[in-house]
Structures are given as C-alpha cells and as structure tokens.
Amino acid sequence: MYIAAVFLPLIGSLIAGMIAFVAQGAVRAEDTERKKRLDLASQLITCGAMLLASVAAILVFIAVVVNGQNGTVELFTWVDSGSLEFSWELRGDTLAVLMVTMVTVVSSMIHIYSIGYMSHDGSIPRFMGYMGLFSFFMLMLVSANNLVQLFFGWEGVGLCSYLLIGFWYDRPSANAAAIKAFVVNRIGDFGFALGIFACFFLFDSVSYDTIFSEAAAKSTATMNVFSGEFHALTIICLLLFLGAMGKSAQLGLHVWLPDAMEGPTPVSALIHAATMVTAGVFMVARMSPLFEYSDVALTVVTLIGASTAIFAATVGCVQNDIKRVIAYSTVSQLGYMFFALGVSAYSAGMFHLITHAFFKALLFLGAGSVIHAMSDEQDMRKMGGLYKLIPATYVLMWIGSLALAGIWPFSGFFSKDIILEAAWGAHTGIGQYAFWLGITAAFLTAFYSWRLIIMTFHGESRADEKTLAHVHESPKVMILPLVVLALGALFVGILSVDYFVGEHTVEFWKNSIFVLDTHKALENAHHVPIWVKFLPLVVGIGGIALAYLMYMFAPELPKALASGFQRTYQFLLNKWYFDELYDKIFVKPAFYLGRGFWKAGDGLLIDGVGPDGVAAAVQHLARRAAAMQSGYLYHYAFAMLLGVAFLVTWFLVAGA
Amino acid sequence: MENLPWLSIITFAPLVGVFFILLIRDDDKEIVARNARWVALWISLITFFVSLGIWINFDNSTANFQFVEKTVWMPGFKIGYHMGVDGISMFFVILSTMLTVLCIGASWITITDRVKEYMIAFLVLETLMVGMFSALDLILFYVFFEGVLIPMFIIIGVWGGARRNYAAYKLFLFTLTGSVLMLLAILAMMFQAGTAEIPKLLTHDFPATLQPWLWLAFFASFAVKMPMWPVHTWLPDAHVEAPTAGSVILAGVLLKFGGYGFLRFSLPMFPLASADFTPLIYTLSIIAVIYTSLVALAQEDMKKLIAYSSVAHMGFVTIGTFAANTQGIEGAIIQMLSHGVVSAALFLIVGVVYDRIHSRDIDAYDGLVHRMPKYALFFMVFMMASVGLPGTSGFVGEFLILVGAFKANTWVAAFATTGIILGVAYMLYLYRRVIFGEMTKENLKSILDLNRREVAIFAPLLLVVFVMGIYPSLFLDAMHASVENLVERYQSALAAAQHISVVAK
C-alpha cells in the first residue's frame, strides 16, 4: 500500500512523459483531434494515479496513526561502501505518513485543478508529467528512512521545481528564474550535503534509526572539523539547517521563491506553497532528536525564522503582483514554522505546515482563478471590482485569507496561535524576540491579505474593456478542488488541534518527534497570560481594519504614504535590495573571475609560459642557430679557430 | 571457460578487425567505406560482449588479479607478457569496449573522408586502451600507456577541426614531458625491485628515500593525463579540435589513465610519498574544481565548456583517491566510470547538433527544444548526471568521494562541495542558452530531432547512468575486495613507517 502511494505518481508521470512525445508527433501532423485525445489521456492517467495514491496514503495513515502499526518498507540496498550502507526505504511513522497523506491529497487536488487551468496550453502531457514526477520526489523525500534518500527527494523536487518554473521556456524571465531557483537551492544543499557527511563522521551511519538512537549518547561529543574542536551536533544541525534555509526560502536564501512565480499557478500552489518549500521545516522536525541537543542550532533556527517572518511580511505589503504577494506571504509563514521549531515546538510547526498547505494552496489557486479570468493579468493595479463577476472565487479567497490571517475558527487561527504562544512559553530572550516579531508579522499578514482582496475584488475596475469582457468564473473542474481545499482551510485546524498540539498529542506523534523534557515551550503555551492568547487575533483584526481604511475608504492614503516615505517604500518595493546585492557580490564576480582565469590564467600564464612559451623559445633558438649556417667558408673557419683557441687555452690553464 | 585467455582475446580482437579492414580493396570509395564501417562495428560489438564475460565470471570475493595470463617476452630483461584484472581495473576494460562501439556508431555518417583509416585508428586505440588497463607488467603497461597517444594524435591531426595541428602537438608535448619522467622511474623501480611484475611490485616495499622521486615522476605523467590543474590546458584544445568520437574516447577513457595510474601505482607502491604529497594533491584538486568551474561558466564554445567541466570532475577523483579510505577510493572509481559515460554522452550531444549546423558556438543555437524534444530530454538527463543529481551515476561517485574526503580533511570536503553549486550554474546556463528560449535563428528552423541511430547510441548510456545511480551495488560489490586490500596496505605501510620513526626517536 505504502509503495503504491509513493510510486503510483511516478508511473503516471512516466506514462504522461511518453504521451508527451507522441503528442509532439500529433502536433507536427496537425492532427488536433488526436492531440486532444492524448492530452485528455495524460490528464486522466496522472490525476487517476494521484487520486489512487492519496487513497493508498490515507489507508497507510489509518494503519500507522490510528492502528499503531509500523509501516516501514525496505526496498533494496542503494549504496554499500565500507561502513557506509543505506537502502531505498519507506519509513512508516506518524511524521512520514502524515506528510505522505498531505502531499498526495493536496497534489491530487492541484492535479485536477490543472486540467482546467492549463486547458489552453500546448504542452499538457509534459506539464502533467512534471507534476507527477514532482509528487513522486516529494513523497520519496518525506518517506525516506535515511539522510541520503531524503537528499534524493530533496534534489529531485529541486529539479522538478526548476523544470516547472521554466515550464514556459520561451520566456527569458522564466528561464532565469528557473536557474536561480536551482542554484540558490544548491547553495543550501552545499550545507545539507556537508551535514550528511558530518553525520556519517559522527555516527558512522546515515540511517535515521541509528542516528536517533545514538544521539543522546553523543550529545556532548565534539568533532574536529574546520580546524577546530566543536560541539558535534551543533555543527551537524547548523549545516543541515543551511539546506533547510535554501529549500524553505529563509532570509538570505529566499531570493528564488518570489521569482519562482514565473511558473504556472498550479505549480506555485503545489511546489512553492504547499509541499516543496515546507521540506525544510519537515526536515528539521524529522531531525528533532539532533536539534534538541544543540541550543545554539535551535537559537539560530528561531532567529532566522522570526527575522524571515517579519522581513517577508514587510515586503508583501507593497508588492503589486498578486502572486508575489502570496509568495512573500509564504516566505513569512515558513518563518513562523521555523521559529516554532526553534523553540522546540516541533509539533506546532508541523501543525502550521499542514494547515498552511491547505489555505495557501487555496489562495494560490484562487489567485490562479483570478488570473485565468483576467486573461493572464497578474498586476493588481489593473484589477478591481471583480467580486460580482467571479463570486465563487471571491468567497474562496476570503476563506483562504481568513485562515491565513488567523481568524477564529479558520485553520490558521489554531496553528498560528499555538506557535506564538509557544514562542512566549519558551521563556527565553530569543523566544520573546520571535513572539514580538511574530505578532507584528501577524498584523502585517492580515493587512496585506486584505489589501490583496480589496485591490483585486473591490473598487472601480482598472482593467481595460477587452479583458473585462472576457472575465468569467472558472469551470467546475477548477472550483471543485478549491472547495475541497477550502474545507481543509475551514476544518483541519479545529478538528485536529487536539491531536497535533493538544491533549492527544503523545498518542498522535508517538515517537516520531523528540523533545527534551527540559524544553517546555509547548506545555507552557497552554498556560500563557490571557492577553498573549488574544493578541494574535486582535492584531489580525486590526490589520484587516487598516487595510479597509487605507484601500477602501481612503485610497489616497497609500499613495501619500509611499511618496512621504519614498526611501522606505523603495526599500520595501525592491525587496530590501537582496537581488541587487547578490548580483554585485556573487553573480558578476563569478563571470568576471571565470573570464579572467580563462584568458589570463589559462591563456597567458599557463599556455604562455608552458607549451606556447617553450615552442616559441625553441623556434627562436632554432632561428638563431639557423642564422649561423651562413654558408660562407670563412665564417666556419673562424668559428673553428675560436674553438681551437679556446681548447688550447683550457688545456694550458687546466694543465698548469 | 576458466582457462580462456579472456583478456588477450579482448585486447587483440580489434586488431583482427584491423586486419580485415586492411583487406578491403575496391575502386569505389563508397563500398570501401561501408565495408570498413560494418567490420569495425561488428568487431567492436563482439569485443564488447566478450568483455562482459569478464564481469560475469568475475569473482567478487578476492582482491587478487583474475584472468591472469603470463608468458615470457624478453626473458633477459625479466620483461613478460602479463595480463590480469582486479576490481579496480575490470570496469575500465568494459568502459573502453563499450565506448568504442558507440564511437563507431557515432561516426557512421559524419566521417566520409578516409573511413578505412579512421576505423583502423579506433580499433587500434581500443586494443591499446584495453591493454593498458589489463597489463600487469610495467613495461607492457608503459607500451600501452604511451601507445595510445599515437592513434589519438592521428585522430585529432587528420580528422580534427581547423586548429587540429596546434591541438595535436599540444597534446603530445604535455603528455610526452610527463612520460619521459615516468619511464625513468619505471627503470629505477625495475632495478630496485628486480622485477617488472606489477603484482610483485605491489607487495614490494620501496625505500622511503626513493619513494618521493618515483612518486613525483609518476605524478608528472598521471597529472597531465588526468588532467590536473595547471597542466590541463591541452584538454580544451584537444577536445575542441577532435572529431566527436575522438572527444568521446578522450574524455571517456583516456582521462581515466591518470586516475587509474594513481590507484595502481602511486598509492599502493609509494604509500609514504603519497601521504606526504596528499596536501599538494588536495590543493591542486580544489583549485581544479573551483577554477575550472568558473572558467566553464565563461565559455562560448560548447565543447570547451564540457572539457573544462571534465577537469573539475577529475578534481573530485583525485581528492577521493588520496583521501585513501574505502568511500573515497570507491567513489573515485565510480566517479571515473560515471564521468566516462556522462562526458562521453555530453560530447555526443554536442556532436549531434554539430553534425547538423557545423558550429560549436553556444550563440549559434537557441530554442532547440521546439524542434528537438527528444534531444532536449537526453541532454537534460545527462546534464543532471553531470551535476550529480541523486538517482544518477554522478551522484554516487561524488557523494562517496565527499564522504571520504570529509573523513580525511573537512576543509577539502567543504571546498570541493562548492563544486556542486558551480557545476549546476554552468550546466544550466549552457542548457538554457542552447535548448530554451524562442527559436530565432533561421538556419535552425529545419533542424531534425534525433534519428534512430542516435537514439540507439544514447539509450545504453542512459541505462548505465540510471543503473549506476539507483543500484550501484552492481558495481561496488566487485570493487570491495580490491579496494579494501588497497586501503589496508596503504594504512599498514603508513603505520609501519610511523612505528619506525617512533622507535628511532
């Protein structure tokens, strides 16, 4: 069953890939009928495979979480070299199975949605194939039972993300964004890979079971790395976290995610909101038995998470591209998840991961529905007044935004609340830092969410006639998955809060998450002052109110603010100038150095002194020698005489 | 089956083909060419399938040389004809025979000039390559090792591009400089140990004072072949000027001579010197990884870009080799095999469009995916293998090497790991410029996708990439015994030396 859940998407994807090539032939033969049939076949196969996979995943979930079975499946040995040995395996504990279920369910909804959204596209089988392949890699990632298989999925989703961001490969911006995503992710993977090596160095194993069971024994071990003696687990955790930062777009390595919006919207929903970008959060939770023993690493995680939450929220407030607003909101929410992990409230972070998957996928797909209606317009400044024209989308976007802003009783309320309370409950300085930044970010989150809703759906329409005439509600095949996700956004939180972080939390997670007894943030979260409990809700409502004030009732206000605080506005609009900075200190110098090494290093220095230099020297000498062969007898006679004179002198001197 | 002279058959079967090709005579050039092609193809195919026999009959449990053949050749000088393979060399034999088949297939229609001679050159090359990897006598090894240069020189010099003379001479100049020193070292070893048999030399303890000199002399030759920075500059030129199949063999097999040499000679025969010179190797390798990756980023010629990426990949190999632990060495071997397949494939990929448009400039192409989706797919897979995506052969090699390196020296591992970032940057940048974007160039608008012959060439390479990536045990299991033996010998030699120096104090 578990194998089916993981491998069905792969099979579907491979078939879709083959269909893509057949369809290419149909296009060339200008056989539109056949092309349509092939498109439909690819859609049915991939969606069918995904749906079957989610049924299988739910069955596994019931078996493992409800009935308490151990669902681990070993397939076959992958690498065996000396003491390094690991297999292809599917791990069957709550954390893995929960993620498998979430991924398959959300993914199948998005697969179905794509049928409608991509209906005008020319490469449907290819798209469906990529999506299926992505789901497979994501499932391998979450179901891994060793660090290397995790890395397999980790890199695989990166590849699919690259392929899907650059799906419309005619667009230079899409290609640039795709490369950027892959390269920035690889910077994170650099740390991740070193983390795996360090893990093997310390534990002589990369399998979870061994690592986790020996972590306690090695909790004080030190490791001689990078010319110093360091606390081993801190080194490992920090390196692994670098990988998480890349994949989950945390401050510093976040630059790829907003650009990734170049991809089709279902991609943004699936990969850049619900699943792949949360892989970093999942990985840290997975590695909780290691992170728990390193206070330094946990502090860093909290610091980065909280800073990202506030950074992305500030940027989200001024963006005008509807997808970019949601993208920054994703970065910001990932920040929340990380600082939850950082204060040892892993289950709270995972809880937010799951609820976020539903409401953020909903928001993205809702935005997709808007874009679809607006003939591919993404700039909110050219929207407005759409609520009468696309009412279903409007309602769904409200649900998603309410969940995102953390309004009771929507899912986001429960998960965001527990995270902020846990940050408070950590009773540490860094916990306080996270709490206050989190509260501020929550205010901004509500503000930009309603800014988005008002700019898109209310006020005078700013679109041109032609676009407006085309505005239409999306077909059922797009709305239905949205309804399912909306149900998730409505009910997942309230129904499962007790299992994730409430009274049933121990039975639910079993041993899949490890927390030291001394780390009581989550426990304390249930006993915080009443104002801490209500503050997130209050600021959320405050943010909504401010958005109404600024964009509904006093539309001149934002403009006045923007021109009044030009510097700040530009700073935010340009995303704190991260892209410009990186371009200056990394990208440009790399090309400059490359050219320099090539022309000066290889060309002038090595070849100039080496082969070319030697060849030139030989030629030069030969020419000189050749010049001596003048052909005149007296030249030779003179040379001979000189030689004789020299020899005679030599013998005389030496003999004497 | 046991007593069959497997290695001699594999080594000299191509020469039988050469003999047959020499017999082909006809006034019609076309007929000669066609017959030469078919003979070469059949002979190389047969050789390849026979060479699979040594894998099937290979005994994974022993570190000893297998399929050993031994006869006297020049008894007065104690030089014999001595062949055999162990877990380190066995796969290189198969790599050589496999790539030769593909090379002949890849040259099927592109080579129209002097086809007979071309095929002869490749078959002779195959003999020399297989002989090199299975020679167990120092002199025999040297003959094969250097002999390879001759057909390669001819292939580049006759069927090469515009600057073929420059490239061919540069290749010769670099490699010969190294090999003169190696010959001296070989003579010194024979005088010192009194034998030219490699199995005996492997257990001979060379004096600690002599080891550095011998090591350096071998290093001079292997570093050029590898190629290591800074003696790598012959490679881009040779690749650019060589015909496609020449590049395939050059990158696929010839670059492995250096790595194989380090594993066969430097490490086991001169362990003390190897340990002393390890920092040098690390430094050069790290420079190779970072420097050449950056240079690759700036290239405008597709073949040059891949050539520079080869240097970077070989930097990993030397790091793994001199990490001198099981993971490092097995990783180095896997990386060499993987690179043999992947870089061969990438050169063939370049060859495909070169055959059609006759340009290697990256700027001459754009948006190929519109007309060549199959090509784009194969290119993508091999590119991913080249950047070491897990699930492909490239990952297993790189991963094992870096694990080994981390155990030996964390700084080296950290610097080398930056290669995975830079590698992605230059490959994706290349792919984007060639494959993606709109197709604007007029001369590309009628370009054809891969034909069946080309698919048949890429398919086996693709298969190896995935098998090696998903189930590398198939390869690793055969290496274990030999590698363990090598590591143990290396470690015990170091331990013994340490013991002596402690006692002396």
Side-chain angles (χ1 to χ4, degrees):
Chain A
M1 202 47 78
Y2 205 167
I3 296 178
V6 175
F7 285 92
L8 271 173
L10 176 67
I11 294 166
S13 146
L14 291 178
I15 297 174
M18 283 176 226
I19 292 178
F21 280 99
V22 182
Q24 201 88 24
V27 172
R28 206 158 292 161
E30 291 179 359
D31 187 346
T32 44
E33 268 310 303
R34 188 171 144 77
K35 166 98 173 77
K36 270 201 185 125
R37 276 203 309 276
L38 288 168
D39 285 352
L40 185 66
S42 73
Q43 289 165 337
L44 290 180
I45 288 167
T46 46
C47 291
M50 252 350 276
L51 282 171
L52 282 177
S54 38
V55 172
I58 290 169
L59 291 177
V60 176
F61 185 83
I62 292 170
V64 172
V65 179
V66 182
N67 300 338
Q69 295 167 359
N70 181 7
T72 305
V73 183
E74 186 175 341
L75 301 174
F76 55 90
T77 305
W78 184 5
V79 167
D80 168 18
S81 170
S83 55
L84 179 65
E85 193 187 346
F86 46 89
S87 298
W88 295 101
E89 257 174 297
L90 306 177
R91 187 179 175 89
D93 64 2
T94 305
L95 186 59
V97 173
L98 172 72
M99 287 296 284
V100 167
T101 313
M102 185 278 279
V103 170
T104 48
V105 170
V106 174
S107 178
S108 29
M109 288 309 117
I110 297 175
H111 267 73
I112 295 169
Y113 176 92
S114 306
I115 296 178
Y117 190 83
M118 300 299 284
S119 57
H120 303 305
D121 199 90
S123 329
I124 290 170
R126 182 165 62 96
F127 182 79
M128 300 309 286
Y130 286 170
M131 292 288 270
L133 188 65
F134 167 80
S135 306
F136 164 70
F137 278 124
M138 189 68 206
L139 291 168
M140 286 299 269
L141 190 163
V142 294
S143 63
N145 203 10
N146 61 61
L147 280 167
V148 188
Q149 189 185 328
L150 175 71
F151 194 60
F152 167 80
W154 191 267
E155 292 269 280
V157 292
L159 166 69
C160 293
S161 159
Y162 160 80
L163 291 171
L164 282 163
I165 295 169
F167 181 74
W168 287 313
Y169 45 66
D170 281 349
R171 297 184 187 170
S173 57
N175 290 328
I179 294 184
K180 187 170 172 184
F182 209 135
V183 174
V184 174
N185 265 300
R186 272 264 163 146
I187 296 173
D189 296 348
F190 161 77
F192 194 80
L194 286 174
I196 299 177
F197 306 150
C199 231
F200 178 65
F201 193 48
L202 183 67
F203 295 106
D204 210 27
S205 171
V206 290
S207 297
Y208 291 164
D209 292 330
T210 322
I211 296 176
F212 296 166
S213 60
E214 285 177 21
K218 305 231 163 148
S219 60
T220 52
T222 57
M223 192 168 14
N224 192 347
V225 287
F226 305 124
S227 321
E229 197 74 23
F230 298 103
H231 180 226
L233 287 176
T234 300
I235 292 286
I236 292 172
C237 291
L238 287 177
L239 287 170
L240 291 177
F241 181 61
L242 186 61
M245 283 175 68
K247 191 94 342 191
S248 294
Q250 292 299 288
L251 193 63
L253 294 180
H254 67 280
V255 287
W256 65 273
L257 185 60
D259 289 18
M261 298 302 128
E262 287 289 340
T265 306
V267 173
S268 314
L270 177 61
I271 301 183
H272 306 120
T275 56
M276 184 186 86
V277 289
T278 61
V281 179
F282 163 78
M283 189 269 285
V284 174
R286 179 88 275 174
M287 290 294 131
S288 54
L290 304 190
F291 278 83
E292 274 302 282
Y293 291 106
S294 169
D295 286 336
V296 178
L298 285 176
T299 308
V300 171
V301 173
T302 316
L303 182 69
I304 297 277
S307 310
T308 308
I310 190 77
F311 152 76
T314 58
V315 176
C317 288
V318 298
Q319 297 301 311
N320 292 316
D321 183 315
I322 186 167
K323 280 176 75 181
R324 279 189 185 240
V325 175
I326 308 179
Y328 275 103
S329 138
T330 305
V331 177
S332 170
Q333 297 304 310
L334 289 167
Y336 276 94
M337 297 174 208
F338 273 112
F339 75 69
L341 305 174
V343 296
S344 293
Y346 302 97
S347 47
M350 286 304 298
F351 186 30
H352 198 51
L353 189 160
I354 300 289
T355 58
H356 176 260
F358 283 98
F359 65 71
K360 193 50 70 68
L362 173 64
L363 279 171
F364 259 121
L365 295 183
S369 181
V370 172
I371 297 166
H372 195 67
M374 294 290 290
S375 315
D376 294 331
E377 181 56 62
Q378 302 198 7
D379 192 335
M380 295 193 296
R381 284 169 300 188
K382 294 185 186 151
M383 295 179 184
L386 291 177
Y387 73 98
K388 275 185 241 146
L389 299 168
I390 43 172
T393 307
Y394 176 61
V395 172
L396 291 164
M397 286 295 275
W398 258 87
I399 296 175
S401 300
L402 285 168
L404 172 61
I407 306 298
W408 192 86
F410 294 86
S411 299
F413 167 79
F414 298 96
S415 50
K416 195 180 278 187
D417 225 34
I418 191 75
I419 286 180
L420 289 167
E421 286 160 17
W424 177 273
H427 299 312
T428 54
I430 193 76
Q432 286 291 315
Y433 173 81
F435 175 75
W436 287 110
L437 288 191
I439 288 288
T440 320
F443 175 75
L444 296 173
T445 307
F447 171 75
Y448 65 65
S449 299
W450 263 264
R451 174 177 175 267
L452 183 151
I453 286 194
I454 296 165
M455 281 180 81
T456 311
F457 292 102
H458 292 277
E460 289 291 306
S461 173
R462 296 172 296 274
D464 56 53
E465 290 291 319
K466 200 162 154 260
T467 321
L468 266 186
H470 272 106
V471 172
H472 56 281
E473 187 58 89
S474 300
K476 281 204 188 79
V477 70
M478 285 168 70
I479 295 294
L480 267 177
L482 284 181
V483 171
V484 173
L485 292 172
L487 290 176
L490 268 168
F491 297 115
V492 165
I494 198 163
L495 290 180
S496 61
V497 61
D498 279 347
Y499 295 95
F500 275 97
V501 290
E503 46 191 309
H504 303 297
T505 180
V506 180
E507 304 102 272
F508 181 74
W509 291 106
K510 304 193 180 71
N511 297 322
S512 59
I513 283 178
F514 173 80
V515 184
L516 279 183
D517 291 338
T518 46
H519 291 168
K520 289 187 186 307
L522 200 61
E523 213 181 301
N524 295 342
H526 298 291
H527 315 287
V528 291
I530 194 82
W531 64 268
V532 171
K533 258 195 167 5
F534 280 101
L535 197 56
L537 191 61
V538 171
V539 295
I541 294 169
I544 299 175
L546 183 68
Y548 266 100
L549 176 73
M550 280 176 68
Y551 289 90
M552 196 88 152
F553 305 121
E556 324 74 45
L557 204 57
K559 283 193 196 107
L561 275 176
S563 54
F565 298 91
Q566 190 63 29
R567 275 254 176 90
T568 323
Y569 178 69
Q570 285 300 331
F571 182 69
L572 293 181
L573 191 65
N574 288 298
K575 310 153 246 172
W576 295 26
Y577 293 103
F578 267 103
D579 282 330
E580 287 74 6
L581 184 73
Y582 285 174
D583 193 52
K584 272 218 172 66
I585 58 175
F586 295 119
V587 182
K588 290 240 166 67
F591 279 92
Y592 181 77
L593 273 176
R595 266 202 101 66
F597 282 150
W598 177 30
K599 296 285 184 200
D602 272 20
L604 290 176
L605 207 65
I606 298 175
D607 277 354
V609 176
D612 294 355
V614 171
V618 168
Q619 225 166 26
H620 181 72
L621 281 175
R623 206 167 289 135
R624 294 286 285 276
M628 286 162 77
Q629 328 280 314
S630 60
Y632 297 113
L633 199 60
Y634 53 86
H635 280 177
Y636 300 152
F638 182 64
M640 213 163 90
L641 210 66
L642 271 182
V644 170
F646 173 76
L647 281 178
V648 169
T649 321
W650 177 263
F651 280 118
L652 282 178
V653 172
Chain B
M1 298 288 270
E2 282 296 300
N3 302 322
L4 222 60
W6 286 97
L7 293 170
S8 291
I9 294 175
I10 300 165
T11 308
F12 296 105
L15 289 188
V16 177
V18 170
F19 175 72
F20 281 124
I21 293 177
L22 282 173
L23 290 181
I24 301 171
R25 283 184 197 279
D26 198 293
D27 291 335
D28 188 348
K29 263 181 73 182
E30 257 317 296
I31 294 175
V32 175
R34 202 178 60 215
N35 288 332
R37 285 185 193 118
W38 280 109
V39 173
L41 182 66
W42 275 111
I43 281 292
S44 61
L45 265 176
I46 292 167
T47 314
F48 169 63
F49 283 112
V50 174
S51 72
L52 287 180
I54 60 167
W55 190 3
I56 295 164
N57 292 321
F58 193 81
D59 179 4
N60 287 350
S61 60
T62 170
N64 292 333
F65 287 98
Q66 305 182 30
F67 309 102
V68 175
E69 298 163 35
K70 200 169 159 188
T71 42
V72 282
W73 180 20
M74 291 182 260
F77 301 98
K78 292 183 183 159
I79 297 168
Y81 173 78
H82 192 174
M83 306 276 268
V85 287
D86 65 353
I88 295 172
S89 53
M90 189 256 291
F91 289 110
F92 291 106
V93 171
I94 298 171
L95 179 71
S96 312
T97 56
M98 174 178 162
L99 288 183
T100 306
V101 178
L102 299 178
C103 279
I104 287 164
S107 317
W108 204 253
I109 49 171
T110 49
I111 299 296
T112 49
D113 188 31
R114 301 172 207 267
V115 179
K116 201 168 130 181
E117 290 80 358
Y118 183 87
M119 294 302 164
I120 290 174
F122 268 91
L123 290 177
V124 171
L125 193 57
E126 182 176 14
T127 292
L128 296 170
M129 292 188 301
V130 174
M132 189 327 271
F133 286 120
S134 34
L136 287 187
D137 181 279
L138 262 186
I139 298 296
L140 191 64
F141 164 82
Y142 186 75
V143 169
F144 284 127
F145 188 86
E146 294 307 327
V148 165
L149 264 185
I150 300 165
M152 203 66 225
F153 179 81
I154 292 172
I155 288 170
I156 295 177
V158 175
W159 292 275
R163 271 160 45 94
R164 55 179 183 263
N165 285 344
Y166 175 75
Y169 279 110
K170 201 167 175 181
L171 165 77
F172 231 87
L173 201 62
F174 266 102
T175 28
L176 270 187
T177 317
S179 42
V180 170
L181 293 170
M182 189 170 82
L183 183 60
L184 287 176
I186 285 177
L187 295 176
M189 284 164 74
M190 284 173 63
F191 284 121
Q192 213 281 323
T195 176
E197 285 178 35
I198 290 175
K200 280 188 193 156
L201 289 168
L202 282 172
T203 51
H204 180 82
D205 289 316
F206 285 98
T209 46
L210 186 62
Q211 283 196 19
W213 300 108
L214 297 176
W215 191 93
L216 279 172
F218 274 88
F219 173 73
S221 184
F222 297 151
V224 169
K225 275 275 180 357
M226 199 78 206
M228 294 179 76
W229 187 89
V231 285
H232 65 281
T233 58
W234 61 271
L235 185 73
D237 284 312
H239 271 308
V240 167
E241 300 308 328
T244 301
S247 292
V248 169
I249 290 291
L250 194 57
V253 185
L254 262 55
L255 296 195
K256 312 300 168 305
F257 282 23
Y260 172 73
F262 282 131
L263 288 172
R264 178 63 77 227
F265 300 96
S266 306
L267 219 49
M269 293 186 193
F270 325 125
L272 305 180
S274 294
D276 288 343
F277 284 114
T278 296
L280 171 74
I281 294 273
Y282 283 160
T283 313
L284 295 183
S285 308
I286 288 168
I287 294 176
V289 169
I290 296 173
Y291 175 107
T292 49
S293 295
L294 287 170
V295 172
L297 203 55
Q299 293 307 308
E300 290 140 9
D301 180 308
M302 284 196 259
K303 268 187 152 181
K304 260 198 176 163
L305 193 150
I306 296 165
Y308 275 109
S309 88
S310 293
V311 182
H313 281 114
M314 289 298 115
F316 277 100
V317 172
T318 37
I319 289 173
T321 306
F322 283 86
N325 47 38
T326 313
Q327 287 87 27
I329 291 176
E330 291 189 352
I333 299 172
I334 289 276
Q335 171 86 343
M336 281 195 270
L337 294 172
S338 159
H339 178 264
V341 172
V342 173
S343 69
L346 285 172
F347 279 115
L348 287 167
I349 285 279
V350 177
V352 166
V353 288
Y354 183 77
D355 290 346
R356 287 160 170 72
I357 305 294
H358 299 290
S359 174
R360 291 180 311 261
D361 284 343
I362 296 170
D363 282 345
Y365 300 94
D366 57 5
L368 285 183
V369 65
H370 291 272
R371 295 275 314 167
M372 309 177 74
K374 274 185 237 165
Y375 178 72
L377 175 70
F378 278 109
F379 195 169
M380 173 64 73
V381 173
F382 293 125
M383 171 173 79
M384 286 303 141
S386 167
V387 301
L389 197 82
T392 64
S393 57
F395 172 73
V396 180
E398 253 175 41
F399 183 78
L400 287 175
I401 286 172
L402 291 172
V403 167
F406 196 91
K407 274 174 147 180
N409 185 327
T410 43
W411 281 114
V412 172
F415 278 117
T417 310
T418 59
I420 71 167
I421 304 171
L422 296 167
V424 161
Y426 63 72
M427 284 312 285
L428 292 186
Y429 188 50
L430 167 73
Y431 193 82
R432 170 194 172 179
R433 286 181 289 172
V434 174
I435 300 291
F436 288 151
E438 280 180 61
M439 189 175 254
T440 54
K441 306 216 163 39
E442 277 308 315
N443 60 339
L444 295 179
K445 297 228 160 115
S446 55
I447 196 166
L448 293 176
D449 204 353
L450 299 182
N451 56 35
R452 281 199 193 143
R453 177 181 60 88
E454 286 162 333
V455 170
I457 290 170
F458 285 122
L461 294 169
L462 195 81
L463 187 73
V464 177
V465 163
F466 281 123
V467 169
M468 212 186 257
I470 293 168
Y471 193 63
S473 300
L474 216 51
F475 299 85
L476 287 169
D477 286 346
M479 294 174 199
H480 289 324
S482 299
V483 172
E484 286 298 341
N485 182 42
L486 170 60
V487 173
E488 263 166 43
R489 165 150 173 84
Y490 180 78
Q491 300 297 356
S492 62
L494 291 194
Q498 201 132 39
H499 183 68
I500 291 167
S501 68
V502 169
V503 170
K505 273 176 195 163

